[in-house]
Amino acid sequence: MNLKATIGMETHVELDTESKMFCSCEVIESEEPNISVCPTCLGLPGALPVPNKTAIEYIVMLSLGTNCNITNEGMFHRKNYFYPDLPKNYQISQFDFPVGINGSLEIVLDEELHSVEIERVHMEEDTGKSVHEGSGRIDSAISTLLDFNRSGIPLVEVVTKPVISTSKMAVAYIEELRQLVIELGISKGKLEKGNLRFDANISVADENSNELGTKVEIKNMNSLKSLEKAIDYEIMRQSKQVEKGESVIQETRHWDENKQVTISMRTKEGSADYRYFSDPDLPNMIIDQEFIKNSKKKIQNLPTDKRKTLKESGLSLSDSNYLDKGEKWLYDLYLSTVENTKDSKSTFNFLTGELQGQMRKAEIDKLPEWVDSEKLANLINLFETNEVSFTSAKDILAKLLGEDIDPKSYASEKNLIQSSDDEEIRALVTSVVKDNQDIVERLEDPDDKLVGFLVGQVMKSSEIKVNPGTVKEVLLKELFG
Amino acid sequence: MSENFNIDDVSNLASIELSEDEKAKLQKDLQIILEHVEALKNVDIKDEKIDIHPLSKVLELRKDESKESLKHEDAMMNSPETKDGHFVVPPSIE
């Protein structure tokens, strides 16, 4: 039996607002606990929530960015469960009237575009943070410490339909969503800071079956690497069970980064167990056309638009996607440089390979002010037209990163310009062939390693830089006709 | 729906411990409520405007401005146990 995996992703995006979702406490990043809290986000009795307008604008922008239909008359629900990081015993969330429904997100996988269908985009609030005290093992904790600075920070949950088939596709989806929230300016999008947190719902079934297998939810994946590994592990675990004829239990499992396995946490609650009901503190939320129009105005360059522009410059889809997902300065630099070089591939290779490599080595994350697209384009053109060798181009770049030079003048000054003058090279070749008759006699064919030796001799005999490609061409013509 | 109703599940989800007498009484009361809900399902509402929220008032949104929060000492003052600025609760592992 051939099996197929089906994956649905649930992603929580922490919005980058000044204040929290339902109170005016400042959103802070602090190690000091419980310093940005109030009766509302501490869940004290009698406190009333008042929603943050900017957070609603941001979720509308994200819904539009994922091609969702906007629910004009929405509402908030209470999702009831008991856990100490949620002291009012319910989370304000959305149930059957989420802000965005039925959307899609275009992603790039290798050289292909795929569309991931989005089921819903809804608004909710974050919980506090728990630290378990004890011997270090979570199951032998002696007490739990609570910090509510995070409690009430606006969160958007983006849920896909079960349409993802591999771990690589899930990673590409998260990368795309991350880029989208960054471009929209609605979240910092830092995975290591928990700005994006994701769970995966995974099932395995016979590839010929129209029905999905039993769904298992995987939590606690903190990086794209652990997401990929956890999905691969879980597909393998479930496949083994299905192949043995055993049934998969519907449950929530936790990814154990140290053991590199998923571990059962608890039997999964159904949505009925959360006893959702409309929050009586929060009347209907009207998102009218005017509000949508104003939110739309704030959307500038979406990742799909950027990718299109890059592709139009001549780059492949995967190279376009690479720059699309990279830092903004590199994207801007590429576009202004390629305008002057008209050579997309070599510009891409030079900027993402050599330039970024040298910057990393020199430990600089910002280009010096004198390094602009014009100078870089001149440098790329110098080696693309064989005026300087690639090795010389690398040296010129290193110099340019240290001081303000003109690449071409510097190349002339340092005698790095290669001659492609055929007459000059022919004279050098003739002289080298004459002086190395013993080698020439041993040559068998144009691919003989000794050809390289003779090219080297020509280069050495020249007082000026000559282009090795031209030397080889002239030499082969002289020797083999 | 009503035949699946289980008082033990509900008390467990609500974290409320019930005696056998209380269970019997609540089972009966809640069963009646569920029957009322069942009866409501039979009302023909296809031509009615859907009111999705009990209040007709529209939600007011607040400008995204932060204001001073509670002082840390005030936030912690009613907690029976604190440590390093945290609230301390019995070990709670999901």
Side-chain angles (χ1 to χ4, degrees):
Chain A
M1 176 167 54
N2 286 331
L3 297 173
K4 66 169 178 192
T6 307
I7 304 158
M9 295 298 299
E10 292 175 13
T11 312
H12 286 98
V13 182
E14 204 176 81
L15 298 183
D16 188 16
T17 50
E18 182 186 320
S19 63
K20 291 185 180 180
M21 183 64 217
F22 295 108
C23 63
S24 298
C25 288
E26 191 182 354
V27 173
I28 54 162
E29 262 184 47
S30 170
E31 292 298 310
E32 208 182 324
N34 298 308
I35 54 165
S36 190
V37 291
C38 74
T40 302
C41 56
L42 284 172
L44 301 185
L48 283 174
V50 186
N52 183 333
K53 187 178 177 188
T54 301
I56 304 298
E57 269 172 5
Y58 284 179
I59 191 177
V60 169
M61 287 163 73
L62 183 54
S63 299
L64 293 169
T66 49
N67 306 300
C68 282
N69 296 321
I70 308 286
T71 305
N72 298 114
E73 193 170 349
M75 66 192 306
F76 287 102
H77 274 74
R78 291 185 179 182
K79 180 182 181 180
N80 299 278
Y81 66 94
F82 293 95
Y83 204 65
D85 62 13
L86 186 74
K88 60 185 184 295
N89 296 333
Y90 62 84
Q91 180 189 33
I92 305 178
S93 182
Q94 292 194 287
F95 187 53
D96 44 4
F97 295 96
V99 172
I101 47 167
N102 294 335
S104 64
L105 188 64
E106 182 188 277
I107 65 164
V108 176
L109 199 57
D110 302 321
E111 279 300 325
E112 276 180 42
L113 283 175
H114 295 260
S115 175
V116 174
E117 287 174 87
I118 306 290
E119 188 171 290
R120 55 190 281 135
V121 176
H122 74 248
M123 189 83 238
E124 58 187 36
E125 55 176 346
D126 211 343
T127 62
K129 267 186 193 165
S130 311
V131 179
H132 304 291
E133 261 204 320
S135 62
R137 282 173 55 93
I138 194 169
D139 50 5
S140 58
I142 50 165
S143 61
T144 296
L145 305 182
L146 297 167
D147 168 18
F148 292 102
N149 286 339
R150 196 182 71 178
S151 170
I153 291 181
L155 276 189
V156 171
E157 184 170 345
V158 183
V159 183
T160 73
K161 290 186 179 166
V163 289
I164 295 171
S165 51
T166 62
S167 58
K168 287 209 160 28
M169 194 172 170
V171 169
Y173 163 75
I174 296 294
E175 283 177 334
E176 186 70 29
L177 185 63
R178 177 177 173 270
Q179 197 58 36
L180 176 64
V181 298
I182 292 172
E183 295 292 340
L184 289 172
I186 64 170
S187 172
K188 291 199 174 80
K190 288 184 182 159
L191 265 58
E192 68 281 11
K193 297 270 183 194
N195 300 148
L196 248 75
R197 287 168 257 157
F198 30 79
D199 305 328
N201 290 303
I202 305 170
S203 66
V204 164
D206 183 342
E207 67 173 1
N208 297 318
S209 166
N210 290 328
E211 282 176 28
L212 297 177
T214 307
K215 181 173 79 172
V216 174
E217 184 174 11
I218 311 296
K219 287 185 176 287
N220 195 43
M221 298 162 295
N222 304 321
S223 65
L224 292 174
K225 211 171 179 183
S226 56
L227 172 68
E228 188 173 344
K229 283 184 182 168
I231 291 177
D232 286 340
Y233 174 85
E234 189 55 25
I235 292 174
M236 183 194 73
R237 187 189 73 83
Q238 290 183 30
S239 300
K240 275 187 188 162
Q241 281 192 309
V242 174
E243 275 161 5
K244 277 194 273 180
E246 293 171 3
S247 53
V248 173
I249 303 166
Q250 182 173 344
E251 60 181 346
T252 299
R253 296 176 74 87
H254 166 104
W255 172 245
D256 188 321
E257 193 65 52
N258 293 327
K259 294 182 185 149
Q260 301 276 301
V261 294
T262 61
I263 295 166
S264 178
M265 280 167 80
R266 59 185 148 101
T267 315
K268 171 90 179 138
E269 292 96 347
S271 68
D273 294 341
Y274 287 118
R275 294 151 297 142
Y276 280 96
F277 64 91
S278 60
D279 192 323
D281 290 340
L282 294 159
N284 287 356
M285 178 166 65
I286 305 295
I287 301 176
D288 59 20
Q289 289 311 314
E290 188 65 22
F291 193 93
I292 297 173
K293 208 170 94 190
N294 287 335
S295 305
K296 203 172 189 171
K297 272 190 205 153
K298 294 184 179 158
I299 300 178
Q300 291 174 347
N301 220 0
L302 291 176
T304 41
D305 301 326
K306 280 172 63 195
R307 210 156 44 221
K308 204 171 155 215
T309 309
L310 290 162
K311 191 121 195 316
E312 279 165 4
S313 80
L315 284 183
S316 69
L317 192 54
S318 54
D319 288 349
S320 304
N321 197 42
Y322 179 86
L323 279 182
D324 185 21
K325 301 286 177 291
E327 290 176 67
K328 193 175 177 307
W329 68 265
L330 190 63
Y331 166 82
D332 291 336
L333 184 68
Y334 166 80
L335 286 181
S336 48
T337 309
V338 79
E339 247 182 64
N340 290 316
T341 63
K342 310 284 177 215
D343 185 337
S344 57
K345 188 68 189 169
S346 63
T347 306
F348 174 84
N349 287 345
F350 194 74
L351 298 184
T352 60
E354 205 45 47
L355 176 66
Q356 280 199 297
Q358 288 205 19
M359 285 175 72
R360 262 193 301 274
K361 217 167 144 192
E363 292 180 352
I364 49 172
D365 51 13
K366 204 170 153 248
L367 277 182
E369 58 189 25
W370 59 83
V371 181
D372 56 21
S373 59
E374 202 183 320
K375 285 201 177 85
L376 288 167
N378 289 345
L379 180 54
I380 292 167
N381 288 335
L382 277 178
F383 76 83
E384 273 304 311
T385 52
N386 282 325
E387 281 184 80
V388 300
S389 67
F390 188 65
T391 312
S392 299
K394 292 203 293 197
D395 295 343
I396 298 169
L397 177 66
K399 189 77 188 167
L400 180 61
L401 288 176
E403 63 184 90
D404 189 3
I405 53 158
D406 172 59
K408 190 153 189 180
S409 316
Y410 180 79
S412 308
E413 206 179 289
K414 295 287 170 187
N415 205 17
L416 299 173
I417 301 288
Q418 302 180 137
S419 170
S420 290
D421 183 334
D422 283 4
E423 279 304 312
E424 204 169 357
I425 292 173
R426 206 170 294 136
L428 289 167
V429 165
T430 310
S431 155
V432 165
V433 167
K434 200 177 146 201
D435 295 347
N436 291 278
Q437 274 305 311
D438 52 330
I439 304 280
V440 173
E441 278 164 23
R442 282 159 55 198
L443 279 176
E444 286 175 2
D445 57 68
D447 294 326
D448 200 311
K449 277 184 187 162
L450 289 171
V451 171
F453 170 79
L454 290 172
V455 171
Q457 292 304 108
V458 176
M459 307 287 289
K460 235 161 129 183
S461 70
S462 165
E463 281 178 10
I464 51 153
K465 287 265 173 187
V466 286
N467 180 354
T470 318
V471 171
K472 192 176 175 189
E473 212 175 287
V474 174
L475 181 71
L476 290 177
K477 208 167 172 192
E478 172 104 6
L479 296 172
F480 298 98
Chain B
M1 188 182 177
S2 50
E3 60 266 26
N4 295 331
F5 174 67
N6 182 330
I7 189 72
D8 290 322
D9 284 349
V10 176
S11 63
N12 184 38
L13 285 171
S15 283
I16 296 174
E17 207 175 323
L18 297 172
S19 67
E20 287 308 313
D21 287 351
E22 286 168 324
K23 275 185 200 171
K25 185 176 178 298
L26 283 166
Q27 174 81 39
K28 208 172 131 197
D29 288 352
L30 290 170
Q31 198 71 39
I32 292 168
I33 293 172
L34 286 175
E35 280 162 19
H36 291 331
V37 173
E38 285 299 315
L40 283 172
K41 284 184 183 169
N42 296 325
V43 180
D44 182 6
I45 52 161
K46 68 176 188 298
D47 295 327
E48 299 294 323
K49 182 182 174 295
I50 302 172
D51 285 328
I52 57 172
H53 197 283
L55 292 181
S56 56
K57 200 174 175 297
V58 169
L59 188 63
E60 296 284 337
L61 301 177
R62 166 181 63 83
K63 200 170 173 198
D64 181 27
E65 280 173 349
S66 59
K67 290 182 185 157
E68 206 177 330
S69 303
L70 278 182
K71 282 200 180 71
H72 176 73
E73 298 71 29
D74 291 343
M76 310 304 286
M77 66 186 278
N78 288 327
S79 178
E81 195 182 346
T82 62
K83 186 180 177 187
D84 302 330
H86 291 86
F87 295 96
V88 181
V89 295
S92 316
I93 312 296
E94 205 172 4

